[in-house]
Each structure stands twice: as structure tokens, then as C-alpha cells.
Amino acid sequence: MKFLKGTTEAILSELKSIKSTTDTATIETQVKAIIQQVKANGDKAVLHFTEQFDKVSLSELRVSDDEITTALNQVDAPFLEVLQQAKANIESFHLKQKQHAFLDNEKRGVIRGQLIRPLATVGVYVPGGTAAYPSSVLMNVLPAKIAGVERIVMITPPSENGINPHVLAAAQIAGVDEIYQVGGAQGIAALAYGTESIPKVDKIVGPGNIYVATAKREVFGLVDIDMIAGPSEIVVLADDSANPSFIAADLLSQAEHDTLSRAILITTSEKIAKETETQIYAQLEKLPRKAIAAESIRSEGKIILAQNQADMFEIMNEIAPEHLEVQLENPMNYLHEIKNAGSIFLGSYASEPLGDYFAGPNHVLPTSGTAKFFSPLGVEDFTKRSSFISYTKEALAKEKDAIILLAKKEGLDAHAKAIQIRFEEEK
Amino acid sequence: MKFLKGTTEAILSELKSIKSTTDTATIETQVKAIIQQVKANGDKAVLHFTEQFDKVSLSELRVSDDEITTALNQVDAPFLEVLQQAKANIESFHLKQKQHAFLDNEKRGVIRGQLIRPLATVGVYVPGGTAAYPSSVLMNVLPAKIAGVERIVMITPPSENGINPHVLAAAQIAGVDEIYQVGGAQGIAALAYGTESIPKVDKIVGPGNIYVATAKREVFGLVDIDMIAGPSEIVVLADDSANPSFIAADLLSQAEHDTLSRAILITTSEKIAKETETQIYAQLEKLPRKAIAAESIRSEGKIILAQNQADMFEIMNEIAPEHLEVQLENPMNYLHEIKNAGSIFLGSYASEPLGDYFAGPNHVLPTSGTAKFFSPLGVEDFTKRSSFISYTKEALAKEKDAIILLAKKEGLDAHAKAIQIRFEEEK
């Protein structure tokens, strides 16, 4: 756990200097080749790459209803019950995000407005192996359902033992329409171009490894994508009122995800800084995922001692964390100071895992400082806007000279002509 | 002008087969090299590439207040007046897009909500030469202003004769904070990484040539970008009630932009199809930009005779046009049929140039079929969302078992522990 203190400038430059950069050129070349193959040869290429990378030979890409039913029978009732509760919370939160069309008719003869339409088809990528999280299925699918997406296609890498039954249960509860067992860049390419069995989608969402992320970046524009996800991160802001054992537990819940996860405490209190550090090493000992969490804490963990509250917020906003816990007295008072953060947890009892699983806000969040410009996944990520106008001849007559002047100034005479022709004598 | 008729399936497959694909590998390599240089050497690299590509040797990248004042004095008053009117219309429309924070307190002890925050810094790219459109400056900058962006930076390629005064006037009226004379991939790289003179921004918007577009795609993730813009396009839907000379003029206003612009009429009326074609060739003769428009009409123009109204909408939705004119009787009745279109013009007097310049909805629109999932540029493109939650100990107590069960099922014990620790006896 690295300990930083001093001026905000010094701390920020220190934080920057440790940011790692990966050379992705080789991966990019591989991924482009895979995409080209899937584009050209469809299912045949998909099956070929599945055999090559996943070591599974499939006769059918689609997961059958029988397989889904069998999987559901393996899942215990309390788990299904909890998924249903989580679903209800996620739905009630996301329903509030729903945007509505508007129409403006303030000027006689002029109607202006905006429509909100759902995307038609969405593809959800669900990673395989230990990164297969049922909660992620709910978080990616439910906003699309609320947006009104008619066809939700899930893809996930195949495995010898079949697909994780908890993931299949979550897909069923969330309302996924079709599931295909294909992963990696070949899965993303299949969704972007469509194959004989897998439909072309309008947007691809969901996390994945570097091959999946690179493939998503490659097909961006042909389809929409959610975001470029990096390692997960948490910043905890704490003052003397905070509880070091809570802070340590929350930092560790982030650290156990991945050795690259970043867990950062920023505090104005030397006492809290020291006690949290002690707590971290004590709690670490008892964790089943100790190896991962310890490496994350060692290489990416930071305790930052800020000179004052203003510095604390400045450093945090510059980091722009995915998750932000505000363990300060009267935390609601500081909402105004928070400019850049994906998901905000206010007070001692809004522990990050509560948001990860249950409270309702989405857990698909902007990482690696992108909360400066990206948002949590939400209903509007599954809709698009269209504007519309309607003018009567009389309304257009009032504006025609202005439009013609602008068009001529831009050297676009056909634009001017399109207006003029509507007021020429009929021949 | 190509004439298509038959089944929807046949028409759609014909439309697909003529889509051109560009091999962008070489450009990508060049652009990556430029970006690396600017990242490493800042202003020095920017000035070097400006000399190489724009053939201009600059001592200062920033456009001075004196230069702006001089330019403004060259612009005539009626033009400034029209820009002000356009600004008022654009503002009144975009104000209606503004999103608001929400707070939900339906359960005792539970607060959930969402904040809407402006991006801090935005970069606007304005092309040089004949593609320099004052109207585009308004369309890109005003939504950012309404969103509350504090720092709006404009870049535009330098030229021997200084920057287009009409563009500078539009920048002044729209409220741009700083202007730098730099274009191409080096300009995009400067905005993405920041240099000694040019600030790093959170998002880059605005159209540009293939180098600009490729550079934007490369830096996506490090900053946000608006969209990958392709050639401009219009689809006009018409029945017997439409006026062929209006349709022809509108199609030509699209065609004059670029030889790659796509102007498409879809009609159920053979009479309208024929008369529009005649009108197009007649009107084409009188256009100053005849060469461009004629080539666009020859290579990309289409008249599609649909078998019925349902087919007409199906073909249109598959094209997902940037601009859609509905020249049908009672056009408002067809709003429901329109699923995929950037900007919709209803009736005979809502000519496309009215929307391009004046009515208020944005003219930065999704092209090349991306209206299936992208939206017109709007206020929300310059904001980001943050979710927040606050739970009391009592509220968390009610949910703790569910969260712990989910966490354990996903094998994340530190997540479970972060909840449990809050209910353990104090030591």
C-alpha cells in the first residue's frame, strides 16, 4: 500500500506516473484478422475459432431451451428469490431514467420535437469462467428491457461443463431472448456482422478481456458499443468520523476483483490513514481471494493524506473514480463537490457491494478516469433520439430570407434554391 | 440516377451491394504515428505537422483577440443578425433537451438518485477550406453551452489568408472560449493529450476529413468523441400529393455537398418518380456546384419505386437516413412508422435546408445507417450521469442477507465481508 502526501500537484503527478500503458498492436492485428474471417465466413469461422481458442467443438451455437431448463433446475430457490429482489430494485431505479418525446409548438405554424426510440436489437457479452457474474447479466439486460429493446441476444464463451447455470438463471429472469455460446473477438464480430445463426445487432454491451475490448473498439461505428472498460477502481474519502474497519473492508472488496484493481483512500486524518492500513493487512489474512487482493493492494493500493478537504475533492475529481465512497460527516452536503464519479456511495452504510448487487443503480460504470465524460450504463444507452420539424408555408415564408442568406454565405446555392422554389410562381 | 423497383428484399440487397468500403489501413498507420509524435513532443510536433500538411509556418497556435476583432469587422451586419436568429432557435430547441437530476426516497432510510453534470472541457473541430460552415460552429457549440461546459476550445486548420471570418464570427456568437489554428490528426491528438499551448479536453466533436475521423477513432476512450461521420444522406418519401420540383430541389441540396452524398427518393407513385427525375436534370443545369451534384446524383442517387406504403417505410428504416423528408399527405400520421432517422422533415414546407440552418434541431446527425443506434448531437452529449445511494444502518440490515448470498454465489467473499463487518460487535 503506497502512502502519498504533500501538495495536490505532487500527488496528482505521482498518480499519473504510475499509470501503466499496454502495447496492444499485436492483439489489434490478431483481432482484425478474426473479425475479417467472421465477416467473410460467418458460422464456419465462428466454429473454427471456438475450437481453436475455447477448445470446444460445437455442432450448434444457440443454447437450446432444454439446456436452459436443465440449468434452471440446478439453481436453488433462495438464489432465484434474491435475483428477483435485485431485479425489482434495478427496475425501479432505471424506470426513472426513461426519457420522453417532446413537442414544441410555441410559434404559429411551427412544430418542433424529439422522439425517443428503442434500439431494435442488442447484444450482451457475458464473460466465461470465474468472471461470470449473474449480477452483470441483470445490470446489462434490464436497462435494455426498460428502453423497449425487442430482441436481446446474449453471447458467452462455451465450456466443457456447459454454461454457468447461475448466469443462465439471471438471463432467464432478466428476459434475454436468445443465448449463443461464443466468446472472444469472434463473438463480437458475429454480433457486429451477423452470421447464419447469430443476428446482427445495433449495439454491443458487456465486459470482456482484452480481445473482446479490442474487437468492440474495432467494430465501433458499424454498431454502437457501451464503453471501453478498464480495471475496476474505488476511491474512499474519509474524515475522523469514519470507521477504519469499514473502509478497509470496502477497499478490499474492490481489490479482490483483479490484481489491477485500484483501491484508494483519500483522507485528511492521519489517524484514519494509519488505522485503515492496519485493518487492511489484518482483514486480508482471512480472505479466500487473498492472493489477488494482496497483489492489488501492493501494486495499486494508495493511501493519500490530503492537506485539507478542498484538496481531497480536487484529487478525487482528477482521478474520476468508477466507485466513490464518501465516508464524511453529513455526506449529502458534499454532493456539489463531486464532479467526476461513476457511482457515489454516501455515508458509512452505503458500502460498495450494496451498489454492486442490489440497491438498483447500475454497476456497469466508467473506469480509468473516464467518469469525466462517460456515464453509468443506463436506459438511454439503449435508445436513440430523432428530431422532427413541420412548418406551414406561412411559417417558412417568415424565415426564408434568413435561410437563403446563410446558404449563400456558405456557398451552397442548391440549399438556397430548395427554399426559393417553394415561393416561385407555379408554372 | 439509378432506378430501383421490385420487392423490398431485392431493393435492400441492391442498396447493400453498392455500399463502398475504403481500405483505411495506411491512413491508420500514418495517423497513429502523428498521434504518438504529438503525445511525445507537444507543440513542437504540432507546429512541425502544420508546416508539413498545411504549408503554414506559425509562431503562435492560439488565435489572438486582435485577429478575432479584425475578422468580425469584415463580416456584414445582416449576416450577424441571421446568425443571432439561428442561435435563438437552436437554443430554444436544445433547452428542452436538458436533463435533470432525480432523487428517489420511496423506502425508509434509502436514498437513490442520479446527478447530471456538464463535461468540464470540450474541443470542437471546425474544418477549413470550402467545408468551413458557420452554421456548424453554432450546432456544435451551443448544446455544449446549454449543458454548462465551462471551457469550449475550437480548433481549425490555418491558412495563408487567415481563418474564415464568418467562422470566427459564429465562434464569437456561440461563445467559444479559445481558438487554435491547428487541423488534421495533429489537432485531434493535441486535444486528446494536451500540449504546452492547447488544453487536454474531455470530448472532441465536429466533422473532418478521413484523417480527422481516423484520429478521433484512435483517441476514443482517452477522451469521448461525438460519432464517426460518413457522407451525408437524404431520403424523401413521397406519394401522389407531393410536388416533384420541391423533391428535386431538396435532393439536389443534399447532392451538392459532396460527390459521395446519397440522395434517395422512395415513392409509391410512378408519376412522381418520373417527374422528379425530369426536375432533377432540369434544376441541375442551373447550379453553381453542378459538377459535384451531378456526380453525386449519377453515382449515389436513387429513385426507388415501392410496391406499397409499408414497403416504403421498411426500406427507409433499413437505410436509416441522416435526413428524412416525409412528403406524404398528413405526414404527422406516419411518425409512428419512423424507427430509424436522424432528423425528420414533415410535409412540403419542411425543406431540409430549413433544418440545416435555422429551425433549431441539430444538424450534426448520424450518417451511413447509424441512425439505428446513434442520435443527433444534443445537450446530453455534453453531460455525464453519476448515480448515488445512501442507506441507513437499519435499511442495510434489511437487505444484508440477500447481498451476502449474491456475493458468496459469485465467489467474492470480500464483498460479503464488507457488508457483514458493519453488523459485527464492536471490539
Side-chain angles (χ1 to χ4, degrees), chain A residues 75-85, chain B residues 402 405-406 409:
Chain A
V75 176
D76 53 13
F79 176 73
L80 291 178
E81 173 53 32
V82 167
L83 277 190
Q84 291 288 3
Q85 289 171 33
Chain B
L405 189 148
L406 264 170
K409 203 60 102 180

Side-chain angles (χ1 to χ4, degrees), chain B residues 211-223:
Chain B
Y211 292 91
V212 171
T214 306
K216 280 167 69 181
R217 178 189 281 274
E218 285 295 324
V219 300
F220 174 58
L222 177 67
V223 298

Side-chain angles (χ1 to χ4, degrees), chain B residues 183-213:
Chain B
Q186 63 275 17
I188 300 300
L191 290 174
Y193 288 96
T195 71
E196 298 86 337
S197 359
I198 300 171
K200 174 175 171 34
V201 302
D202 296 318
K203 181 164 187 163
I204 303 172
V205 300
N209 62 21
I210 182 77
Y211 292 91
V212 171

